[in-house]
Each structure stands twice: as structure tokens, then as C-alpha cells.
Amino acid sequence: MASAAWGRIAPKLEATGRRVASLEWEPERRNSFVPYTAERDTAYVDLDGRRLLMMSGYSYLGLAGDERVVAAAQAAAARYGTGNHGVRALAGSIPLHEELEAEVATVAEREAAIVFGSGYAANVGTIGALVGPGDTVFVDKYAHASIVDGCRLSGATVVRFRHNDTDHLARRMEAAAPGGVRLVIVDSVYSMDGDIAPLPRLREVCDAHEALLMTDEAHALGVIGRTGLGVEEHFERRVRVDVKLGTLSKAIPSMGGWVAGSAELIGHLRYAARPFLFSAALAPASAGAALEALRVLRAEPERVTRIQGYGTRFRELVSAGGMRTGDSETAVVPLIAGSDESAYDLATTARRLGVIGLPVVTPAVPRDLARLRIAVTARHTDADVELAAEAFLKAAGECGLLAG
Ligand SMILES: Cc1ncc(COP(=O)(O)O)c(C=O)c1O
């Protein structure tokens, strides 16, 4: 870093390096940016010649590598090429984008949908198109970073409420300045905790305070609800949200983000959501893969039943062995270790025993609640789930993390 200008920024760069080194001080402790090679059709990965059971993936339905999904991506690339060379509003639209949006609308049980380049872009673009200065957004304390960033960029007043605490939300709404649009935003399933937003009560509070309700279904689609259709189906369709958003990068093994709602809302987003209007369209292969995976989700709801059963079984096994799993009630199960270092110790020991559980540390989770974020998928078997629980308990015992 020769120049004086770089000298000014050097402390920031060095701090990042020190932070990484404080947790990953030797190759065995490396847990970030590890290039695993996934085995097809199993939940195992290869790393440095070892076969390891992956328990921290996001492909909940086990469709990453599914031959129908891969074939659809190949066919889309062969038909439409590898890129769209522009934004949808100008030169970048292909029929596949419209087919995908129609399928998303069906799965989301809404009139229309719009697809963005990522879930992050969908949150930032949607929030910015709905609220601005003079409006107020009320956001759960554990909401995803893309929601928080969208709120900040929008220029609206941002009010945080305690995680899943609807009484606190109600008090915050009573105390907020009147006037303007009021928008409440929550994750349907919290990505690091695996718990579910209390939708019926949120709806009541929103109605009482004339607020719109928006949910992020990133970890709900394909995961909760009897057939995997998300948080509304989980609550037996007793209540509806106003703005439904999700990603195509978790249970749906592709790239992209979506919003579903009335034709009027989607029409507005097509012209007002800046990451849609000023960023290139989804690549054909990604659109083709997502479309096929959504069709598989609808055709094979037994995948959803399977991961719901695995989630329950895994939680029972590790809790019985003395591990803390927070309020998880889905396929996402945190194994709470405590300090950042403890989470790394646990991950490193578990990997030595043949199982991967990736650590999530501050600032992604609150201090002293660092954890391994475990997710069961439809690629796992009953035997995988039992083997993983046994290995994590053994590792936790070795690390001195078990109660009693
Ligand atoms: C709740 C939630 N919303 C949005 C996103 C962003 O999605 P994408 O990776 O498609 O940008 C994520 C990704 O981790 C997420 O967990």
C-alpha cells in the first residue's frame, strides 16, 4: 500500500485480516470460502480427498444437481445463450422470464410476480419502491441484512422491534409518528435460527395500525407449509401477507429473487424497483433451472414432508444429548456454541469426525450466540441425520459444550 490515500484505508483492511486470523489461524480451522466439491445425488462433499457429510447446505429440497433441473438449465442456455446483455425493460427480456414469473405467481398463490437478479436485489428494490422519506418501516431485529439495507437506502424512518415480539411491535407502532406509509417486514423463517414468524398475530397488529405486511420467504418456500408453499400455508391460509418475496437460491437451486402480489403492485415494481430497472436480467440457464425446480416442488411435495421429519428428528437427538437449539421448528437447526471461538472449535472438531457444520459468528448473530447453522435436506437419509447428530454431540462433548 504505497500511496498516502491507501495508507488512510489500511487500518480497515488490516482489521479484516486480523479478524479472520483470530478464528482461522491454521488450515484445519478454515471454515470460510472452503471450495467443497459436491457429490451428485448425496449429501456428501469431497474436501482434500476426504468424504464429508454436509450438514450446512441451503439446497433444502435436494434439487441442486437434480438431472431434470440441470437439463432445463442446459436447454435454456442452448436456446437463449448464456446472457441477456441488458436490463429487462430494454433489451434483456426473453419468454423464459415470463414463464418463470407465471410459475412463481402460481407457487406464491398470487396474481402476478416479478423476478430480480438475486434475493438481495429483490429486497432492496422492493422496499425502495414502496417506502421513502416520510414513511416508516418496522423491521424484526433478526431480519436479513438485505431487508435492513433496503430500509436504510429507502430513506424511510426505520424502527426495529424485538425478534418475533408482536407486543413490542404494537408498542413501537403506537409510539411512531403518524402519517405516511407503514410497512412491517419480517422473515417467514429466520435463516440462522429456524424459527417461524407469528403471522396471524402480525396480521392483527398491522391491521390495527393500518400497516402493510411484507414477508421474506427465502427459507420458507419448499420448507414450511404442508406442501412447502411457505408461511401462509404453514398457518393454513388463515391470513395473507400484502407483499410476498423470496429467493431462487435456496430450496430452488438457482439464482434470483422474486416478489409476488397483485398485478398493480408488480406493474409498479417493474418500473420503480431500481435493481430491476438498472441491473441485467437473470441469465437464461438460471431462469430455466428455477422454473424446472419450482415445477418439481409442486409435483413432489413428499420432499417437503421428508425434510420436516428430518428437522424434528435431528432436533430431538441433539437436544436429548444436551445441545441448545434455540426456538428452531424447521429444517434449519442452530447448534448454539456460545463464543465465536467455541463455534469454530465445534466446527473444526466435527469436521475431523467427518461432518460439516459451518460456524456463524458475530456480527451475523448476537454476541455469545455463535453457532453451527445446520440444515437438513431431502438429499439426506435417516442414517445421515442420525450419524450427524451423533458426531455433533461427540464433538460438543470434546469441546466441553454439553450441559451437565
Ligand atoms: C432471508 C434472506 N433473504 C434474502 C437473502 C438474499 O438472497 P440471495 O442470496 O438470493 O441474494 C437471503 C440469503 O441468504 C436470506 O437468507
Side-chain angles (χ1 to χ4, degrees), residues 58 117-121 123 144 146-147 187 189 191-192 216-219 245-250 255-257:
Y58 287 82
S118 71
Y120 187 100
N123 265 320
H144 189 260
S146 53
I147 295 175
D187 290 17
V189 170
S191 59
M192 297 300 146
D216 180 335
E217 303 272 319
H219 303 272
L245 175 148
T247 71
L248 299 171
S249 61
K250 319 267 185 236
M255 297 284 293

Side-chain angles (χ1 to χ4, degrees), residues 73-344:
Q74 286 168 336
R79 170 92 175 77
Y80 297 108
T82 53
N84 288 304
H85 325 293
V87 300
R88 289 271 302 281
L90 300 175
S93 231
I94 53 174
L96 194 48
H97 290 136
E98 289 176 4
E99 280 175 63
L100 174 60
E101 287 172 340
E103 182 66 25
V104 169
T106 303
V107 169
E109 302 179 317
R110 290 295 188 274
E111 195 180 0
I114 177 172
V115 168
F116 290 74
S118 71
Y120 187 100
N123 265 320
V124 170
T126 303
I127 298 166
L130 295 180
V131 293
D135 301 325
T136 311
V137 264
F138 299 85
V139 186
D140 187 286
K141 195 161 173 255
Y142 286 6
H144 189 260
S146 53
I147 295 175
V148 176
D149 293 358
C151 291
R152 286 187 184 140
L153 274 172
S154 74
T157 302
V158 183
V159 178
R160 307 296 293 269
F161 61 94
R162 285 200 286 267
H163 176 53
N164 270 354
D165 185 341
T166 49
D167 292 341
H168 193 227
L169 168 64
R171 289 200 298 281
R172 289 261 145 140
M173 292 181 105
E174 274 146 30
V181 175
R182 294 177 154 212
L183 177 65
V184 173
I185 314 178
V186 299
D187 290 17
S188 299
V189 170
Y190 285 84
S191 59
M192 297 300 146
D193 292 84
D195 54 350
I196 300 174
L199 199 67
R201 179 70 189 128
L202 282 164
R203 183 72 270 174
E204 278 172 22
V205 175
C206 287
D207 290 348
H209 294 88
E210 294 183 11
L212 293 171
L213 178 58
M214 169 169 158
T215 53
D216 180 335
E217 303 272 319
H219 303 272
L221 181 73
V223 178
I224 62 168
R226 198 178 54 78
T227 64
L229 298 191
V231 73
E232 289 175 336
E233 189 185 34
H234 175 80
F235 288 104
E236 291 160 349
R237 298 187 177 86
R238 292 198 301 278
V239 288
R240 270 167 79 89
V241 303
D242 301 300
V243 184
K244 229 182 192 189
L245 175 148
T247 71
L248 299 171
S249 61
K250 319 267 185 236
I252 303 303
S254 182
M255 297 284 293
W258 55 265
V259 179
S262 67
E264 200 179 11
L265 169 69
I266 301 308
H268 169 66
L269 294 179
R270 282 162 78 89
Y271 291 96
R274 294 171 66 85
F276 181 80
L277 209 50
F278 296 105
S279 184
L282 205 60
S286 301
L291 175 59
E292 181 61 22
L294 286 165
R295 287 177 176 153
V296 175
L297 163 64
R298 285 207 286 145
E300 298 177 359
E302 61 275 13
R303 290 173 179 272
V304 180
T305 314
R306 195 165 348 133
I307 57 175
Q308 292 174 351
Y310 286 164
T312 305
R313 179 80 183 127
F314 183 76
R315 245 187 327 274
E316 279 168 3
L317 289 169
V318 291
S319 322
M323 289 238 60
R324 288 189 292 153
T325 59
D327 294 325
S328 161
E329 44 183 326
T330 62
V332 175
V333 185
L335 298 180
I336 303 197
S339 68
D340 292 356
E341 289 73 19
S342 298
Y344 262 73

